[in-house]
Amino acid sequence: MGKSFDIGLEMLAGRGVGVGVTLNETQDPPSKIGCGASEERPARLRDSSGGAIGAGTFYLETFGCQMNEHDSEKVAGVLLARGYRQVESAESASVILYNTCSIREKAAQKVFSRLGEYRSTQEDGQIIGVLGCVAQQEGEKIFSRAPWVSLVCGSASYRKLPQLLSQLEAGNRRVTGLETGTDETFETEVTRRDNPWRAYLTIIEGCDKACSYCVVPFTRGPERSRTSASILEEVRQLADAGYTELQLLGQTVNSYTDPSARRMRFSELLVAVAEVPGIRRVRFTTSHPRDFGKDIVDAIETVPAICEHVHLPVQSGSTRVLRAMARTYAREEYLEKVALLRAAKREISLTTDLIVGFPGETEKDFEETLSLLDLAQYDGAFCFKYSPRPNTPSLKMDDAIPEEEKSRRLAVLMDKQREIQRTRNERLIGQSFEVMVEGKSKKEHQWSGHTSSNKVMNFTSREQESLGDYVHVKVAAATPNSLVGEAVGRTEG
Ligand code: SAM
Ligand code: SF4
């Protein structure tokens, strides 16, 4: 059954799990429990023009990755279940929440500049809260830097949000949830999903991998998996509600460890999710190369509903740099995983993350990254300049690479990857792919969606397509970041 929602291509472009060469610079020690409360806060609610602010309303803005997007859906669910109403502007909300990202310095800076914009609203009695990675990383320091903030809560403490909100409602001025030492996952009764046909599902939270450049183990806490039974129950509910595509999420999604006696492996879970009636596409991200094995490739090969796309971040093509990054695999070991994927009977698209300018990265190391691109033939890559982050081991490493040199390497890397993508996409001209209709252009008869391999497809159709439906599209042209085609038929649900 098709649903009709008028979502433009612009929105789609902003939300996709890019297979493009993406420069992601603008996006984008465990703390003790802090559920404390202090100072009374004023309860009056007025906007800057003196008008009333909707009591019990919230505005939620999300920075960063899909996991943050999905956490925000769950936070919204928690607030809606408590009787709050979501509003579209910060000015008209009684609670303003920022779900933040601190993976690179620019992402964290962006949060503080956004907080600065709301400095004047403190007198109006609005509650301003910082959630997510910046909250966990900066903790109570946020109160000194932005005294108009009342709530600071990291993702590992979201289960405490209702409690924290009650304390604020009771008139407390400042509350924090900064615990990371938990084995609980953030499961909610209600999740307010933004997309009516594709649902995100976090199956594993936190990360135990300790890559030397990364803040995630500090900001999201240790790895904790949901039970397979609870995941499958939610999948059945989602299928009943009409969702056909699911994205299983985790910082290292394939490190999933079923905590129940069933002990389902990640590849078994993929198959079980794909077999739930009504589910037509199952995606998963992000996979860590260490835990990526043939059983996952076999599952993709044999179950059509498991999408033919794997995001397998390599970070560097130099074993020397990989060791310094503590990535737990060497170049050759990573390439063995790529060989497994390339040997599959179904063509599986492969995307990655790359960091240039890690401390001590020589020209030779960088050339090894370039030569790895030739071997791996990625369908897409998120390319980043190394950004030094608080508390991480690489912060203290010698031989920092100058900013201009990082920029040069990034440009060379992206140019090379762009040409690889152009060639790979041009090979697809003349072939047909199933596409989920996800966007409608302002131009007549123009639509957009993704293939199972997660390529963006812009296509022409004379039919009045319904968003969420599946159509077959024949590729007529290709660019490095997308395919262009014409609808040639449709698949019934
Ligand atoms: N868990 C995933 C993995 O292991 O690949 C990735 C999670 S992280 C949110 C997404 C990407 O951000 C990483 O793959 C890495 O390329 C990049 N990243 C993380 N820390 C970074 C840093 N300090 N500087 C630049 N890029 C970084
Ligand atoms: Fe960060 Fe490494 Fe964990 Fe990915 S695996 S979240 S890069 S520590």
Side-chain angles (χ1 to χ4, degrees):
M1 189 182 57
K3 302 185 187 84
S4 191
F5 298 90
D6 200 22
I7 292 182
L9 291 180
E10 304 70 22
M11 177 179 165
L12 181 66
R15 284 183 148 262
V17 193
V19 285
V21 180
T22 308
L23 168 58
N24 215 344
E25 283 299 303
T26 52
Q27 235 184 328
D28 47 353
S31 313
K32 54 187 183 323
I33 179 165
C35 243
S38 57
E39 296 178 54
E40 293 292 299
R41 66 184 308 283
R44 67 205 156 86
L45 294 175
R46 267 186 294 280
D47 70 14
S48 46
S49 61
I53 290 168
T57 52
F58 73 96
Y59 168 79
L60 176 56
E61 191 172 323
T62 309
F63 299 79
C65 65
Q66 281 165 317
M67 291 202 69
N68 266 11
E69 293 271 351
H70 183 42
D71 281 346
S72 286
E73 292 180 337
K74 293 197 272 185
V75 167
V78 166
L79 292 172
L80 291 168
R82 288 174 60 83
Y84 280 85
R85 192 165 52 80
Q86 189 160 10
V87 291
E88 293 299 315
S89 78
E91 288 71 22
S92 56
S94 56
V95 179
I96 301 171
L97 297 173
Y98 293 107
N99 189 3
T100 61
C101 170
S102 66
I103 196 82
R104 283 165 291 278
E105 198 186 346
K106 276 194 181 155
Q109 277 169 356
K110 203 168 157 187
V111 172
F112 281 104
S113 79
R114 184 57 57 92
L115 279 176
E117 290 169 20
Y118 285 96
R119 187 180 196 129
S120 58
T121 62
Q122 190 192 19
E123 284 186 23
D124 301 320
Q126 287 174 304
I127 291 169
I128 299 183
V130 180
L131 309 178
C133 293
V134 172
Q136 191 66 51
Q137 186 181 291
E138 300 295 317
E140 296 191 4
K141 279 188 275 175
I142 292 177
F143 295 136
S144 345
R145 204 165 157 184
W148 52 97
V149 169
S150 316
L151 165 73
V152 172
C153 182
S155 69
S157 304
Y158 285 162
R159 285 182 75 91
K160 296 205 167 64
L161 263 179
Q163 219 176 310
L164 297 175
L165 285 167
S166 300
Q167 291 173 7
L168 286 172
E169 283 160 3
N172 291 319
R173 174 72 183 90
R174 282 175 179 162
V175 294
T176 57
L178 295 169
E179 185 187 32
T180 55
T182 173
D183 54 7
E184 288 174 332
T185 52
F186 180 41
E187 293 183 43
T188 51
E189 299 271 309
V190 185
T191 298
R192 189 217 165 281
R193 290 195 157 80
D194 290 328
N195 185 319
W197 52 87
R198 174 193 299 137
Y200 295 123
L201 241 95
T202 299
I203 63 164
I204 171 169
E205 291 176 4
C207 181
D208 285 346
K209 300 291 186 296
C211 301
S212 62
Y213 51 81
C214 185
V215 289
V216 170
F218 306 103
T219 58
R220 286 191 163 268
E223 274 175 18
R224 21 213 220 273
S225 298
R226 283 175 69 179
T227 63
S228 52
S230 121
I231 294 167
L232 288 168
E233 178 51 32
E234 192 173 351
V235 170
R236 283 188 282 273
Q237 287 170 8
L238 290 167
D240 287 346
Y243 290 91
T244 58
E245 181 176 311
L246 298 182
Q247 288 203 7
L248 307 186
L249 299 180
Q251 288 298 339
T252 55
V253 72
N254 58 327
S255 305
Y256 173 79
T257 313
D258 185 357
S260 70
R262 208 164 164 188
R263 295 271 173 253
M264 207 178 232
R265 298 175 75 187
F266 173 66
S267 54
E268 292 167 336
L269 180 70
L270 273 182
V271 173
V273 169
E275 283 174 348
V276 170
I279 297 303
R280 297 180 59 159
R281 284 185 169 182
V282 182
R283 301 189 184 279
F284 55 99
T285 195
T286 295
S287 295
H288 191 284
R290 193 195 72 184
D291 298 329
F292 192 86
K294 184 155 183 328
D295 57 325
I296 301 175
V297 179
D298 289 345
I300 300 174
E301 202 173 61
T302 48
V303 182
I306 303 177
C307 287
E308 49 203 25
H309 169 223
V310 172
H311 185 64
L312 198 64
V314 63
Q315 315 299 359
S316 168
S318 153
T319 297
R320 206 183 65 81
V321 173
L322 288 171
R323 296 242 186 280
M325 288 177 163
R327 280 296 285 182
T328 72
Y329 52 85
R331 171 190 171 99
E332 291 310 322
E333 287 166 305
Y334 180 87
L335 286 170
E336 282 166 21
K337 313 277 175 173
V338 174
L340 284 179
L341 284 161
R342 295 297 181 219
K345 291 191 200 81
R346 220 172 144 194
E347 184 167 326
I348 300 172
S349 89
L350 176 63
T351 56
T352 200
D353 293 347
L354 292 150
I355 297 177
V356 296
F358 189 76
E361 183 190 66
T362 62
E363 188 57 33
K364 185 167 171 292
D365 292 320
F366 177 58
E367 278 166 17
E368 288 191 50
T369 297
L370 295 177
S371 73
L372 184 109
L373 293 194
D374 285 325
L375 296 171
Q377 290 288 304
Y378 292 113
D379 292 276
F382 291 98
C383 304
F384 306 106
K385 285 193 273 186
Y386 167 72
S387 169
R389 305 306 297 129
N391 302 321
T392 58
S394 64
L395 195 61
K396 297 200 179 76
M397 289 181 185
D398 296 331
D399 301 325
I401 308 297
E403 215 40 47
E404 317 78 72
E405 179 58 13
K406 284 190 209 170
S407 300
R408 186 193 70 80
R409 291 182 191 177
L410 186 70
V412 172
L413 186 75
M414 288 174 66
D415 281 350
K416 186 174 179 69
Q417 178 55 26
R418 190 174 294 111
E419 286 319 304
I420 291 173
Q421 282 175 217
R422 185 190 306 282
T423 310
R424 286 191 68 74
N425 283 349
E426 283 175 353
R427 278 178 325 131
L428 305 176
I429 293 174
Q431 296 185 37
S432 293
F433 297 94
E434 190 183 66
V435 172
M436 186 208 246
V437 186
E438 294 165 69
K440 180 182 186 308
S441 167
K442 286 185 190 116
K443 282 197 224 141
E444 221 187 342
H445 306 307
Q446 290 296 317
W447 304 84
S448 181
H450 287 86
T451 62
S452 165
S453 61
N454 210 29
K455 303 226 179 223
V456 173
M457 177 83 84
N458 296 308
F459 65 98
T460 312
S461 172
R462 300 273 143 199
E463 303 285 326
Q464 184 53 44
E465 304 292 355
S466 294
L467 301 189
D469 273 3
Y470 290 83
V471 295
H472 285 281
V473 179
K474 186 167 178 188
V475 182
T479 71
N481 288 325
S482 61
L483 303 172
V484 180
E486 184 153 357
V488 290
R490 56 195 52 251
T491 6
E492 294 311 318

